[in-house]
Amino acid sequence: MCQQRPSALRREERGHAALGEGGAASNAGAAAASKDPPRRKWSSGAEFTIACIGYAVGLGNFWRFPALCFNNGGGAFLVPYTLTLLLIGMPIFLLELGMGQKFQIGGAELWKRVHPSLGGLGVASITATAIVAVYYNVVVCWALWYFFRSFAWDGVLPWAESRGGALQFWEVDTLHCRPAQNLSSAAPETCAWGAGTTWPQEPGIARPGPLVWPLVGCFALGWVLV
């Protein structure tokens, strides 16, 4: 009995040490988890579905997609589009939703959780989103400008043929980059800068021309909305 007592004590001490290490590990895990701020949850499945629709459906679905179909074969364009949607688009979309549901963190940190060497993917995705947002909000700006100007008091749209058409409205009335007397059926496709306009003689990056303040306001509103 006297010989067995020290060995029993050593086993008990090792057991307490193991428990202490396990408790320390669990406390470290809890501390790491507590660093992440609490995330808001969806209140219902309908709210999540509407959010997904708002994320996936944009202005291009109503504006750009019909033009692409028309310029690339009409109904035949839907065949490669549907295949690409089913084989590439939907799997990536479901992967993104699944990873977001699991990790519930931003894109920059998500790929680091998957593997530290994949952290650049999160930075690249944020950079690509920022670049897309710049030109996408310009398109939204145009849509807002036409939307506001469509509320015509006399019932005639500003770009109606009776008022000179779309070219007259955009280049003369909006941008002021072409004198009204120079606008004809033989006019070039781009604005004719020069005498009688508010734009410089040689437009370029160094001389972009004056700000069109109504479009600046629509552009700012587009950034707020998007």
Side-chain angles (χ1 to χ4, degrees):
M1 293 294 292
C2 294
Q3 294 178 355
Q4 294 178 357
R5 185 181 180 88
S7 61
L9 289 175
R10 284 194 295 270
R11 286 196 299 267
E12 185 177 356
E13 290 174 357
R14 287 196 297 268
H16 286 299
L19 290 175
E21 293 175 357
S26 61
N27 292 334
S34 63
K35 293 181 181 179
D36 296 332
R39 309 284 291 189
R40 297 185 61 183
K41 307 294 183 180
W42 302 108
S43 58
S44 64
E47 183 179 359
F48 175 73
T49 303
I50 294 174
C52 289
I53 294 175
Y55 165 75
V57 179
L59 184 64
N61 297 90
F62 302 99
W63 190 340
R64 183 63 176 163
F65 182 73
L68 288 176
C69 289
F70 179 79
N71 294 328
N72 294 277
F77 176 76
L78 296 177
V79 177
Y81 171 80
T82 303
L83 292 176
T84 305
L85 175 66
L86 295 178
L87 299 179
I88 300 177
M90 291 303 297
I92 294 178
F93 182 69
L94 294 176
L95 175 64
E96 185 175 359
L97 290 180
M99 296 183 70
Q101 289 284 338
K102 176 177 176 57
F103 293 98
Q104 299 186 9
I105 55 177
E109 293 294 329
L110 184 145
W111 289 104
K112 292 182 180 179
R113 295 282 185 90
V114 176
H115 196 278
S117 62
L118 298 178
L121 289 177
V123 178
S125 63
I126 294 175
T127 304
T129 301
I131 295 174
V132 170
V134 172
Y135 78 81
Y136 180 79
N137 286 325
V138 174
V139 179
V140 173
C141 163
W142 298 339
L144 291 174
W145 173 243
Y146 275 86
F147 173 74
F148 292 142
R149 292 301 303 272
S150 64
F151 293 96
W153 294 104
D154 55 0
V156 181
L157 293 174
W159 51 86
E161 291 297 330
S162 59
R163 293 190 173 182
L167 199 64
Q168 166 81 22
F169 169 73
W170 183 248
E171 297 188 354
V172 178
D173 301 335
T174 301
L175 298 180
H176 307 290
C177 65
R178 188 199 304 272
Q181 62 270 20
N182 290 349
L183 189 65
S184 63
S185 58
E189 295 182 358
T190 58
C191 282
W193 294 273
T197 71
T198 58
W199 289 62
Q201 294 284 344
E202 297 179 1
I205 297 178
R207 291 180 293 273
L211 293 175
V212 181
W213 290 108
L215 292 182
V216 173
C218 291
F219 186 64
L221 180 60
W223 272 101
V224 173
L225 294 177
V226 173

